[in-house]
Amino acid sequence: MIKTTARSRATFPTHLQNLRTLMPKLVQILESEREKSWYCFAWLEEVKTQMSVCAITESSQESLDRGIVLRALIDGVNFERATNQLDEKSLIQWAKEFRAELDKKFPDNYRYEKEIYKPLSWSQEIARGLEQDFVEQLPKNLENKTEVHFGVLCEENPERTTVAKLKGSASALRAKLLELSRTYARESQEPELAEIRAMIRQELKTHIFVDRQKNMSQTLPISLCAATGISKTGKSARGLAGGLGGLEIAQLSEENIKEVTQNTIRLSKAGQLTPGRYQIISGPEVTGVIAHEAFGHTQEGDTWMKGRSIAENLHRDKRKVGNGMASIVNHPNMFTMDRHFFGSNGSYFFDHEGELGRVQTILDKGMLSPPMTDLTAARALHVPRTANGKRESWRRPIMTRQTNTYFTSGDKSLEELIGMVKKGFLAKWAHGGMEDPKGGSLTAGAAYFEEIIDGKMTGKIFLGPSGGHIELSDPVFSMLEKIVAKSKTVNDQHIPEVKFGGCGKYHKEGVDAGCGGPYILWEDINCG
Amino acid sequence: MQLSNDPLLLKLKEALANVRAKKSDIFNGWEVSISDSRSMQSLMMSDPIQGLASYQDREVLDRAYGIEVFTQSGEPKVMGNSTCNIDPLAPLEEQIVKTLQNALQVSNRPWNLPTPEKEAPEAVLIADPEIKADIKAAHAKLLGQASAKAKRIDIVKLNSAELYTNIRSTYFETSTGLKGQQDRTDLYFEVALEKLPLPNTQEVLKMKTAISIEEASLPAFIDEIVTETLSIDQAGLPKTQSNAVILIDGKTISDLLKNLLGQFYAHNEYNKLPFLLPGQKTYSGEKAIDSDKLGLTLDPTLPVMAASSAFTGEGLTAKKGVMIENDTVMHQIVSNRMGQYLGKKTNTMAGNIVVPPGHYSKDELLKSVPECLEIISFSSLLINPSTLTWSSEIKLAKHYQKGELAGMIKGGVVSGDIKENLRNFKFSSKEKKINEVGNSFASPKGYIGPDAMLIKSGVKIAGE
């Protein structure tokens, strides 16, 4: 991994202490004298966003969004009330009204049918096993009322980030990229780019979770640097870097810089792919989309619970759905990856229902495991709970969502993989994707292809058959049978590169989700 | 609810005035906004007794305050702007000063902020009075309608459903005197069904977004989806074709046209992105003689439509405008700011997409060609607003030969180029109304136009 300078953990923001102190009272208002049949928690989310965009038209933004959710799980149904009216008096009144509503709905003589949920205590969590990142942050003499905080290691303190600082970095980046692209255009005698946009953004997320067993918080700084080159014909290419950490991680790599400054220009002269089946090497971005769409969404517990995933029957019947190299991991508490000392934006210590992050293999050499779950899905399916209960924001419902999803790494170098291709393409840069959990098919987009003939890159690039991006689409099972080889990683824990990303469930509910993996050589994929 | 009297908003305006007085050399102007929202949310699964049983039941109250400040500074003068969501629990003036500092980091060409027009904008009805009057009762009514219908479904399996009923009031005011309030309602319903007997590997997931309970017509919508689910049969891959003929539905037509319209905005010209100017054609290459011609109007005044609004994003009166006539661009959309930047006359055309229908029924269109794929659903239709190219895996399609159903299609990739598609197409004669409320993935879209489009050029398919 890359050597780092001194880092310290992001601390709990003191301005939230009053609200934190109030939260146990709110939980008590909700569940007092009903603990034997109800389970309640309070969840507070604060997201501070700072952003600077440097382009022909510049902009800047600073926003703060903060809201609280009260949850009562009663007889299998989750009742939630959420608000951003956060003064103490309003909150107490609001909690009391919610309780009165629930009391009316569930009078003392109500006959409960579903088993009551009992949250784990800290000692039970420790007995179950926690990784070092947790253990080293736990105070001694832990009790259910102990305020526990988890922070991410950062070089640059995210609390000191200002828009002015972001502007300085974005402006310098854009100037550098414009200069490099002009030089490339001049040397290659191609038209200059119409525009380069540079954006640097930091989100500082703080979550507080309080139930009868835990009072814990986490601070998650998510830093991102993105640049897009736009040609005079409207072709564009982007470079993007970032993840969970301070601004020190929002730095474009040389490869990203080349993508923006050179490949945008090259795309104007790209050929158009003839639709068909080709040998493909997917880069970490495209590999990640395949993992995410293949047995990521299909392994979401609420999708199983609703009978909407093909995976439940396949798991029950112990059917193999991929070859020995088809292994996919769900990794919420991922704080290093490949050669980096930070995790992706999909990482956290606990999910939005207070479940602590633990790594889970969701597809092991072609065999499916039980699914990722939120609390409701785990109880409905009688499978272990995992830290995958997430919501877009305090305004939206909980669903089972992915955190970081990646294919495990292999034993080859990229050069060796390229050497194994007779006639095919390298698909390095992703362009969306979509799941079909019931149908077991997937589609993953690539911005363009780079041609490989007889084990060598030819230097030619191709867009889709109609001049846009390229879709890679196949039934999941046949696709996962066609993994030929995978590249290796230098990471101590064998975690490959996981890219900064986001995910919608079908067409809505956007959340942070990292996805990635090694370079993978596929025997053939339908491309169009 | 009159948001202009909100106590915190009044304090915020006072704080803005105070800071502006202290920083008059740089503080050029401001806009303040408040939104008050309430949302009822139900996530459900099928239940033999209730029809639909909720497993997550939510109520959300959201009151948010925002400001945008504008600065002018330096020599030569540059203009900056920055937005900020106000934290009601933190000192207001501190937040304004910080936003001002952020705006000073932005260096754009100066422009004059818009001022009130002679005629005040007319109110547009964009809220269902029934939802506005009692959102809880409205939500319960919708749940009742969906549950009653679900209870009677026994020919297909209903897996899950979601219902969101929302009401949102917004108010804005600017330092130049523009102001206005709008109340909006909307609802979102989705349902996932599959054909019996089980198990199978195809499901139909459909969403309905609407402004009013009447427009949503949930029982009829569920009936429609049941019929579609029953029509699913064994599906195969499509043939690879370099010039395919496809039939798309009203939603896809509106998606393609919304992206085409993206190039009508003057900010594309200023920001050096691809743009279209009056007089230019909306197709590329040679127009087919028997093709329909495209006409398109933007109309912000249509009642109970998602893209209706009395105001533009700058707070000016939104106006109706003919954007395309006989395949020809009639207007560029020029905002106050872009008008000053580009030396063009400002217009404030905005609103719902209205497209005149064609002359043939959907069946007649299908019979008019030897072979056609009717795309029932795309897995994920991605349209590039710059290149106007599009592509998606086919989630489900029907293969027709001379108008007769020859089989179902699933898988393969279909792609196209909007300008090439508009070279040879035909619209259906039946009209469809679509309301899509904006979310984190897309801006609002209202559409009244043909419910089907036969595209005979510029489509490629990768399949067998």
Side-chain angles (χ1 to χ4, degrees):
Chain A
M1 280 186 283
I2 291 168
K3 194 172 176 295
T4 67
T5 54
R7 295 188 294 156
S8 54
R9 291 197 181 271
T11 53
F12 180 75
T14 50
H15 66 270
L16 292 177
Q17 187 57 53
N18 287 347
L19 279 166
R20 183 174 198 164
T21 306
L22 179 64
M23 286 170 71
K25 288 183 201 165
L26 299 175
V27 174
Q28 206 185 14
I29 290 171
L30 274 190
E31 69 175 9
S32 65
E33 297 172 20
R34 294 282 201 153
E35 289 92 342
K36 286 184 182 167
S37 41
W38 298 5
Y39 166 67
C40 300
F41 69 69
W43 161 264
L44 185 131
E45 173 191 62
E46 179 181 276
V47 183
K48 181 182 175 185
T49 307
Q50 294 182 92
M51 182 170 76
S52 174
V53 178
C54 286
I56 293 170
T57 304
E58 294 186 348
S59 65
S60 75
Q61 183 204 332
E62 179 160 354
S63 67
L64 187 124
D65 186 33
R66 187 191 298 137
I68 192 168
V69 178
L70 296 184
R71 152 84 69 91
L73 170 57
I74 307 174
D75 207 22
V77 179
N78 292 305
F79 297 92
E80 289 194 341
R81 297 293 176 268
T83 186
N84 57 358
Q85 301 300 293
L86 300 176
D87 59 285
E88 184 171 343
K89 198 176 153 195
S90 305
L91 280 175
I92 288 175
Q93 180 62 27
W94 176 69
K96 284 180 177 170
E97 285 168 11
F98 185 21
R99 170 66 189 260
E101 231 180 282
L102 294 170
D103 279 335
K104 199 172 160 191
K105 209 176 281 228
F106 299 95
D108 289 340
N109 60 356
Y110 181 86
R111 292 182 62 183
Y112 295 93
E113 292 178 1
K114 301 272 166 62
E115 192 187 344
I116 172 69
Y117 173 71
K118 289 179 188 155
L120 294 185
S121 65
W122 279 114
S123 56
Q124 287 170 310
E125 294 281 13
I126 291 164
R128 204 177 146 199
L130 286 172
E131 287 188 21
Q132 189 57 27
D133 277 297
F134 291 86
V135 175
E136 68 186 44
Q137 296 187 75
L138 291 177
K140 286 177 183 163
N141 305 319
L142 260 178
E143 292 177 3
N144 61 347
K145 288 180 183 163
T146 310
E147 291 183 357
V148 176
H149 180 70
F150 299 109
V152 172
L153 284 168
C154 301
E155 271 178 38
E156 292 193 33
N157 185 346
E159 290 199 1
R160 292 197 192 133
T161 299
T162 60
V163 168
K165 189 170 187 177
L166 300 183
K167 166 70 192 287
S169 304
S171 184
L173 174 65
R174 181 169 184 255
K176 177 183 168 183
L177 296 176
L178 280 170
E179 181 55 37
L180 286 169
S181 75
R182 281 174 191 144
T183 305
Y184 178 77
R186 198 167 48 242
E187 287 171 358
S188 57
Q189 296 184 316
E190 297 288 348
E192 283 185 9
L193 289 180
E195 161 72 315
I196 291 181
R197 291 179 186 179
M199 184 273 280
I200 301 190
R201 185 184 76 194
Q202 186 171 76
E203 287 180 318
L204 189 57
K205 296 188 175 186
T206 298
H207 301 147
I208 308 172
F209 172 86
V210 176
D211 72 1
R212 68 182 77 139
Q213 291 290 2
K214 296 190 188 78
N215 181 331
M216 59 185 176
S217 56
Q218 61 186 350
T219 297
L220 310 168
I222 297 175
S223 302
L224 173 69
C225 170
T228 307
I230 302 161
S231 75
K232 285 173 180 157
T233 56
K235 300 280 192 294
S236 62
R238 63 153 174 80
L240 185 148
L244 198 59
L247 283 177
E248 71 278 358
I249 67 171
Q251 307 277 347
L252 289 189
S253 65
E254 285 305 314
E255 189 183 33
N256 273 309
I257 288 171
K258 191 177 160 195
E259 180 66 8
V260 176
T261 57
Q262 298 185 14
N263 287 350
T264 315
I265 293 171
R266 291 176 68 211
L267 280 174
S268 292
K269 288 201 163 176
Q272 292 191 350
L273 184 79
T274 304
R277 302 196 75 83
Y278 298 100
Q279 258 188 309
I280 297 292
I281 297 174
S282 57
E285 272 195 16
V286 178
T287 296
V289 175
I290 294 171
H292 182 93
E293 308 297 355
F295 276 109
H297 282 294
T298 315
Q299 282 284 61
E300 289 171 348
D302 58 349
T303 311
W304 277 42
M305 177 180 82
K306 295 169 185 172
R308 297 183 57 192
S309 171
I310 196 171
E312 187 175 11
N313 288 346
L314 296 169
H315 169 70
R316 192 190 54 218
D317 299 343
K318 295 188 169 52
R319 261 188 63 189
K320 206 155 185 269
V321 295
N323 66 20
M325 275 182 277
S327 293
I328 301 176
V329 173
N330 161 42
H331 200 163
N333 53 321
M334 186 194 78
F335 302 111
T336 72
M337 57 182 179
D338 198 41
R339 59 189 69 242
H340 305 296
F341 58 85
F342 56 89
S344 93
N345 61 322
S347 303
Y348 48 46
F349 294 92
F350 56 87
D351 74 3
H352 301 178
E353 295 180 299
E355 178 69 9
L356 298 173
R358 292 177 173 91
V359 66
Q360 176 199 19
T361 301
I362 52 175
L363 180 69
D364 189 7
K365 296 174 184 155
M367 299 302 291
L368 287 161
S369 75
M372 301 173 268
T373 57
D374 56 42
L375 174 56
T376 308
R379 285 164 55 78
L381 296 165
H382 305 289
V383 296
R385 198 173 155 193
T386 66
N388 293 86
K390 293 169 69 168
R391 52 176 101 241
E392 181 177 277
S393 78
W394 59 272
R395 295 177 180 84
R396 306 294 295 181
I398 279 277
M399 297 182 180
T400 310
R401 304 304 299 271
Q402 294 175 64
T403 56
N404 297 295
T405 314
Y406 56 81
F407 275 98
T408 56
S409 50
D411 59 358
K412 299 276 189 293
S413 67
L414 173 59
E415 291 67 32
E416 286 173 314
L417 294 181
I418 292 169
M420 293 164 75
V421 176
K422 179 75 183 156
K423 184 179 186 309
F425 297 96
L426 173 62
K428 204 188 277 183
W429 305 91
H431 193 99
M434 182 50 78
E435 72 272 28
D436 180 12
K438 190 75 183 179
S441 67
L442 79 83
T443 175
Y448 61 87
F449 279 177
E450 295 171 77
E451 189 182 53
I452 308 168
I453 301 279
D454 293 330
K456 290 193 173 63
M457 305 292 298
T458 66
K460 289 182 185 164
I461 59 176
F462 289 83
L463 285 162
S466 297
H469 70 281
I470 303 163
E471 294 283 352
L472 295 79
S473 166
D474 259 334
V476 173
F477 316 136
S478 59
M479 194 167 176
L480 295 185
E481 276 296 336
K482 291 181 176 176
I483 300 176
V484 178
K486 302 188 284 189
S487 68
K488 57 193 163 194
T489 176
V490 295
N491 186 275
D492 299 342
Q493 298 169 54
H494 308 291
I495 303 169
E497 177 103 28
V498 177
K499 296 291 185 180
F500 194 105
C503 163
K505 192 148 175 134
Y506 298 97
H507 298 272
K508 60 185 186 68
E509 313 298 334
V511 296
D512 285 313
C515 64
Y519 285 92
I520 295 184
L521 171 59
W522 307 83
E523 195 180 307
D524 62 66
I525 302 179
N526 189 28
C527 304
Chain B
M1 186 188 299
Q2 199 53 257
L3 292 174
S4 57
N5 297 325
D6 177 86
L8 185 68
L9 183 83
L10 297 175
K11 282 185 193 165
L12 190 52
K13 277 164 56 183
E14 198 182 312
L16 280 161
N18 289 343
V19 176
R20 196 174 184 193
K22 287 179 209 162
K23 309 261 183 188
S24 56
D25 54 330
I26 52 156
F27 199 159
N28 183 246
W30 51 258
E31 177 177 334
V32 64
S33 64
I34 172 173
S35 75
D36 187 79
S37 313
R38 192 163 171 198
S39 174
M40 308 293 299
Q41 308 171 353
S42 299
L43 273 56
M44 298 161 283
M45 297 201 295
S46 65
D47 181 89
I49 298 161
Q50 300 174 59
L52 288 170
S54 179
Y55 68 91
Q56 203 168 157
D57 172 315
R58 310 188 80 238
E59 183 179 344
V60 182
L61 302 173
D62 178 5
R63 181 164 278 220
Y65 302 83
I67 55 168
E68 180 168 15
V69 301
F70 302 89
T71 54
Q72 287 211 3
S73 61
E75 200 54 54
K77 278 253 181 306
V78 291
M79 191 148 165
N81 61 313
S82 190
T83 58
C84 177
N85 290 3
I86 293 296
D87 177 1
L89 303 181
L92 297 179
E93 286 199 19
E94 272 180 29
Q95 295 179 73
I96 294 165
V97 169
K98 196 163 61 171
T99 312
L100 209 56
Q101 285 164 353
N102 292 345
L104 287 170
Q105 298 299 321
V106 173
S107 305
N108 289 318
R109 273 173 59 188
W111 75 98
N112 295 321
L113 296 173
T115 52
E117 298 149 294
K118 282 177 193 161
E119 288 176 33
E122 281 182 30
V124 185
L125 179 67
I126 34 183
D128 180 343
E130 193 176 347
I131 299 175
K132 216 172 145 182
D134 188 345
I135 189 174
K136 269 191 175 178
H139 188 74
K141 181 178 175 179
L142 287 160
L143 276 180
Q145 287 178 351
S147 294
K149 176 54 78 176
K151 208 170 159 180
R152 291 196 297 272
I153 294 175
D154 54 7
I155 43 178
V156 296
K157 180 172 178 280
L158 192 154
N159 286 327
S160 66
E162 292 180 19
L163 176 68
Y164 300 73
T165 309
N166 306 307
I167 179 159
R168 183 165 186 250
S169 301
T170 53
Y171 173 81
F172 75 94
E173 192 172 328
T174 72
S175 54
T176 58
L178 293 170
K179 61 176 90 171
Q181 176 167 334
Q182 294 196 119
D183 301 333
R184 289 181 181 276
T185 59
D186 67 84
L187 60 97
Y188 171 94
F189 179 73
E190 71 165 52
V191 62
L193 303 174
E194 62 181 302
K195 200 173 174 179
L196 293 169
L198 302 178
N200 66 60
T201 56
Q202 289 178 53
E203 96 171 349
V204 176
L205 169 66
K206 289 279 175 178
M207 301 91 184
K208 178 85 181 185
T209 52
I211 306 299
S212 70
I213 295 175
E214 187 189 348
E215 181 205 347
S217 182
L218 292 188
F221 173 68
I222 294 172
D223 280 339
E224 215 176 281
I225 309 311
V226 168
T227 307
E228 187 178 322
T229 308
L230 288 170
S231 76
I232 292 176
D233 217 332
Q234 283 299 317
L237 276 174
K239 281 183 195 155
T240 297
Q241 298 167 65
S242 58
N243 199 7
V245 177
I246 62 167
L247 187 94
I248 57 173
D249 62 10
K251 186 198 158 5
T252 311
I253 300 169
S254 65
D255 286 339
L256 296 181
L257 294 179
K258 188 180 174 187
N259 277 274
L260 178 69
L261 275 172
Q263 299 201 354
F264 283 52
Y265 288 89
H267 60 69
N268 269 33
E269 181 180 354
Y270 182 73
N271 289 314
K272 297 188 180 173
L273 297 169
F275 60 96
L276 287 163
L277 291 173
Q280 286 186 293
K281 294 293 181 192
T282 51
Y283 60 82
S284 61
E286 197 173 331
K287 183 86 180 178
I289 297 164
D290 66 339
S291 172
D292 279 353
K293 289 185 173 173
L294 181 63
L296 190 154
T297 299
L298 282 180
D299 190 346
T301 65
L302 298 171
V304 202
M305 290 288 292
S308 289
S309 174
F311 312 101
T312 66
E314 291 178 311
L316 295 168
T317 305
K319 296 205 177 96
K320 183 177 173 177
V322 176
M323 308 311 300
I324 303 169
E325 208 169 70
N326 288 330
D327 294 324
T328 306
V329 177
M330 302 305 289
H331 292 101
Q332 191 177 29
I333 300 170
V334 186
S335 66
N336 165 67
R337 181 178 176 183
M338 286 302 143
Q340 293 174 54
Y341 278 5
L342 296 168
K344 295 186 179 190
K345 189 165 182 270
T346 299
N347 63 46
T348 51
M349 291 169 187
N352 306 285
I353 297 169
V354 181
V355 178
H359 304 287
Y360 303 98
S361 69
K362 189 173 129 183
D363 285 347
E364 286 169 327
L365 290 178
L366 288 167
K367 279 179 192 160
S368 70
V369 286
E371 208 146 349
C372 176
L373 282 192
E374 180 191 1
I375 312 289
I376 307 293
S377 53
F378 293 98
S379 293
S380 174
L381 178 63
L382 293 178
I383 305 166
N384 184 321
S386 290
T387 59
L388 297 179
T389 53
W390 55 270
S391 175
S392 175
E393 182 197 39
I394 299 170
K395 189 164 183 186
L396 194 63
K398 290 179 178 173
H399 177 207
Y400 287 93
Q401 285 174 327
K402 292 179 183 167
E404 297 295 320
L405 183 64
M408 303 297 291
I409 297 291
K410 179 177 156 60
V413 178
V414 57
S415 65
D417 177 311
I418 296 174
K419 283 188 167 181
E420 287 182 27
N421 302 151
L422 292 174
R423 188 193 303 158
N424 192 359
F425 72 95
K426 276 196 187 327
F427 283 137
S428 68
S429 52
K430 191 177 166 193
E431 200 172 76
K432 175 100 178 167
K433 180 176 166 182
I434 294 168
N435 274 317
E436 289 180 3
V437 183
N439 58 24
S440 49
F441 293 93
S443 58
K445 181 182 70 187
Y447 168 83
I448 297 178
D451 80 334
M453 178 184 185
L454 185 75
I455 302 177
K456 296 199 271 187
S457 62
V459 177
K460 292 172 182 172
I461 290 176
E464 278 182 320

